Amino acid sequence: MTAAVSPAADEGELCLLLAPSQPPARAIERAAALAARAPDWDRAGKLASGHGVLPHFHRNLAQWFRREAGEETLHRLAAKARNSAVRNLALTSELLAVREAFETEGIRALPFKGPALSALLYGGVAMRPFLDLDLLLAPESVGPAGQILRRLGFEIEPPAPAFDRPFLHKDTAFVRPEGRVRVEVHWRLAEPKFGVAMDFEGLWRRRARVMVCGREVPTLDLEDLLLALAIHAARHCWSSLKWTCDIAELLRTQPWVDLAGVRERAREMGCRRMLAVSLALAAEMLEDPARSRVREAVDAEGAVEAAASHVRRHLFQPPESYYTDFILLLNLRERLADRWRMAWPELIDQVRPAPGSRLPDYARRMGRLLRRYGCEPLVRLAGWRTGKF
Amino acid sequence: MRPKARREQLATERLPDELIVYDLKRHKAHCLNRTAAYVWEHCDGLKDVPALARAISGEFGVPCDEPTVQLAVDLLREAELIEEEPPEGWSAISRRQAAGVAGAILLPAIATVMAPTPAMAQSTRRKTDESSSSDDIWPNNRGL
């Protein structure tokens, strides 16, 4: 994957090339060419840290470019990787305690992302930074789980609208008062506006098990995990390299994952294009034959190619307008209902009047919105309906 | 003396140049350098200090003496990573004493650190911005 990044393109590209746990030979070759141009290694390290890929970036740098990067830079990166590993271990110990408390009370919880994902893909919790813990629960277990978390000293993180209007949200967060631990309790994988419902009973029935710090922990099975990672990355416009690296690592280390089955499930859920973009981006981090296998599974569609190219372009230089990402995601929806479900909350949010304001103000804001964004979302929606989209 | 490493309620993670041992009971992390990690991993209650020194010499290809191992065991005991108390007559070794014989290359070291909080990590996140003085260059929290 090559990226057009600015203002420091070399550092961004180095970060991208050295982010996977095992960069392909062509990536090392390209990185060697960039390393010869005396890049700012500290800046590359900061980019890697911001994108959540510092541990592997540091390890790859130490393995391939020790002389070019210099011991001082490596020492600084090692200290950051150590901090991240310690934080991960601390969070993992909390996860084990929370899960044990849930299990004692008969609450089924599927840890995903965080420690479980790191252990499953990277064989331990140190090499993939995470900042909180994510547990997927059956909707009816969310209330009792909240009570248990309160008993363990957690409080709902304000603002906490999720419990009041669970139909609009997907999770709620609990934190310890000292701020050391944050637990997100999920009853969905994505907000309802994404329209990608996944049945907890099915996820639980198919669950896999992974050893996390010597304890067996249930988690999503590989196919569910691949879909969940693709959806999560899509929700954030693939803006963090960590998410693409996770998908690439899953595809590299678990070659038996049933890609055809995942594509079929994605089609049923209306997120086939989101999966395709994730696969297209991840394929560039892989060596053959995994790369070819994954590329074969990517649907050759204009919308997918355009989205992948948008992601690469904005990986290190986010777009100025929020609507650039919004339109990208809207383009990736395959069903009209899903487009509408995604679009209307954004429109409502933009034109919602301030408390106490009257209709004229409301109308003025609507007019301002239309002027500012040139009705682009509406025009595109209309275009789609007439087959021009 | 045949030191035995504590294994219960500990989680370990290996980084390129060190081993991190997290104490699940006391919520402390200990970062062991290569020598300290090697000694801890081989303290099985069967090997005595001279045997450990020989094993280290074989592993690292550098002569290792007993004071170096003794210092490692002392540090591990301080970090509560060794099970039993030192036997009578066991004299603590200083880094200076150990360094005098073994040289700096094999000196064991253990750093005990508190886990940085997620809040600390998040507070360093900033938009991609050349003028930012933050540690990380964070690519915005994008998406819907």
Side-chain angles (χ1 to χ4, degrees):
Chain A
M1 179 162 41
T2 52
V5 292
S6 63
D10 285 2
E11 288 79 9
E13 196 176 349
L14 274 169
C15 168
L16 178 64
L17 294 165
L18 301 178
S21 72
Q22 286 191 19
R26 64 182 183 284
I28 298 297
E29 205 175 301
R30 172 68 184 148
L34 294 171
R37 298 193 331 212
D40 179 345
W41 291 104
D42 274 342
R43 181 182 160 83
K46 286 175 184 176
L47 286 169
S49 188
H51 275 269
V53 293
L54 181 97
H56 285 122
F57 178 82
H58 166 244
R59 200 176 65 180
N60 289 328
L61 213 56
Q63 183 179 347
W64 300 97
F65 303 106
R66 182 171 279 278
R67 187 175 51 80
E68 291 87 340
E71 290 302 321
E72 205 178 311
T73 301
L74 287 172
H75 189 72
R76 272 198 294 275
L77 295 180
K80 291 186 90 170
R82 181 195 305 128
N83 269 352
S84 164
V86 170
R87 185 175 57 238
N88 285 2
L89 280 162
L91 283 170
T92 303
S93 76
E94 295 287 347
L95 171 74
L96 297 176
V98 167
R99 212 193 73 75
E100 198 177 301
F102 281 5
E103 201 169 49
T104 307
E105 299 289 333
I107 290 178
R108 297 173 299 168
L110 283 170
F112 70 115
K113 302 195 279 180
L117 178 65
S118 184
L120 184 71
L121 298 185
Y122 303 101
V125 301
M127 297 303 280
R128 182 192 182 275
F130 46 85
L131 298 171
D132 53 20
L133 302 169
D134 298 277
L135 292 156
L136 189 63
L137 272 65
E140 65 273 15
S141 300
V142 172
Q147 288 170 4
I148 293 171
L149 285 169
R150 285 191 193 93
R151 275 211 307 273
L152 293 174
F154 288 88
E155 292 168 2
I156 291 186
E157 185 179 57
F163 270 168
D164 302 334
R165 294 185 293 171
F167 49 90
L168 286 179
H169 301 277
K170 68 176 183 67
D171 63 50
T172 198
F174 291 82
V175 287
R176 282 260 172 76
E178 79 275 19
R180 187 170 291 279
V181 189
R182 185 170 189 274
V183 177
E184 281 187 8
V185 172
H186 298 253
W187 53 92
R188 287 193 186 93
L189 286 173
E191 289 85 354
K193 66 182 175 185
F194 267 79
V196 287
M198 284 177 98
D199 160 45
F200 179 82
E201 293 304 324
L203 296 174
W204 181 260
R205 208 171 40 248
R206 294 189 293 270
R207 70 190 180 279
R209 292 184 180 279
V210 61
M211 293 302 285
V212 178
C213 290
R215 312 259 180 93
E216 197 178 77
V217 169
T219 190
L220 299 178
D221 90 326
L222 291 180
E223 283 77 22
D224 288 328
L225 179 62
L226 180 52
L227 259 183
L229 292 176
I231 292 167
H232 182 251
R235 281 180 56 238
H236 296 285
C237 290
W238 296 270
S239 56
S240 178
L241 261 179
K242 175 168 76 168
W243 302 321
T244 303
C245 286
D246 289 340
I247 293 168
E249 191 70 5
L250 189 154
L251 297 165
R252 188 182 71 79
T253 58
Q254 323 279 338
W256 44 84
V257 68
D258 176 13
L259 277 181
V262 176
R263 284 173 69 197
E264 180 53 27
R265 218 182 298 169
R267 192 189 59 76
E268 288 166 10
M269 292 164 63
C271 56
R272 184 177 49 81
R273 287 179 183 165
M274 289 185 193
L275 174 70
V277 175
S278 294
L279 293 179
L281 295 169
E284 297 305 311
M285 294 182 165
L286 296 169
E287 194 83 85
D288 276 328
R291 184 188 187 207
S292 308
R293 187 175 69 94
V294 173
R295 287 202 66 84
E296 278 169 23
V298 176
D299 302 292
E301 277 187 79
V304 172
E305 292 299 326
S309 143
H310 169 98
V311 171
R312 289 169 190 140
R313 199 165 52 247
H314 293 292
L315 201 47
F316 299 101
Q317 192 67 39
E320 282 179 14
S321 165
Y322 161 81
Y323 278 94
T324 312
D325 284 344
F326 175 68
I327 295 295
L328 166 91
L329 290 177
L330 209 59
N331 271 343
L332 290 176
R333 301 322 310 260
E334 294 135 38
R335 302 183 292 221
L336 180 59
D338 289 337
R339 284 168 183 248
W340 180 241
R341 192 182 285 124
M342 185 179 274
W344 78 261
E346 300 301 322
L347 294 172
I348 296 295
D349 267 3
Q350 284 296 324
V351 298
R352 182 179 291 144
S357 67
R358 291 169 304 174
L359 187 61
D361 180 43
Y362 189 97
R364 273 201 302 277
R365 292 184 70 166
M366 173 68 107
R368 204 162 57 231
L369 173 80
L370 294 177
R371 274 203 312 280
R372 186 170 174 190
Y373 297 108
C375 306
E376 200 171 356
L378 296 173
V379 169
R380 286 197 177 233
L381 269 176
W384 188 87
R385 294 188 75 172
T386 54
K388 294 174 185 169
F389 192 61
Chain B
M1 188 214 175
R2 297 170 197 276
K4 188 172 181 195
R6 176 184 151 218
R7 305 278 183 220
E8 293 298 307
Q9 294 286 310
L10 297 175
T12 60
E13 283 292 333
R14 191 171 288 283
L15 292 180
D17 293 321
E18 59 195 341
L19 180 75
I20 298 180
V21 182
Y22 189 83
D23 191 328
L24 295 166
K25 210 160 75 182
R26 298 176 182 87
H27 296 286
K28 277 183 186 170
H30 308 287
C31 306
L32 282 55
N33 75 353
R34 290 177 67 199
T35 307
Y38 190 88
V39 171
W40 183 71
E41 286 173 328
H42 289 80
C43 280
D44 53 8
L46 300 173
K47 292 186 198 71
D48 58 12
V49 170
L52 285 167
R54 282 195 301 276
I56 291 176
S57 299
E59 173 70 18
F60 295 97
V62 179
C64 177
D65 44 35
E66 290 178 28
T68 301
V69 178
Q70 278 186 42
L71 174 62
V73 172
D74 283 341
L75 293 173
L76 290 167
R77 185 174 286 115
E78 265 176 44
E80 300 181 82
L81 298 176
I82 293 282
E83 277 191 351
E84 72 275 11
E85 290 299 306
E88 289 214 6
W90 174 274
S91 57
I93 297 285
S94 69
R95 285 181 70 83
R96 187 185 295 260
Q97 284 172 293
V101 187
I105 195 163
L106 281 181
L107 262 189
I110 298 178
T112 298
V113 293
M114 294 299 291
T117 65
M120 283 160 65
Q122 279 168 330
S123 70
T124 63
R125 289 179 171 193
R126 297 285 186 279
K127 290 179 181 180
T128 303
D129 178 3
E130 287 297 304
S131 63
S132 168
S133 61
S134 71
D135 264 1
D136 298 348
I137 302 174
W138 184 252
N140 280 345
N141 187 18
R142 287 168 55 193
L144 305 190

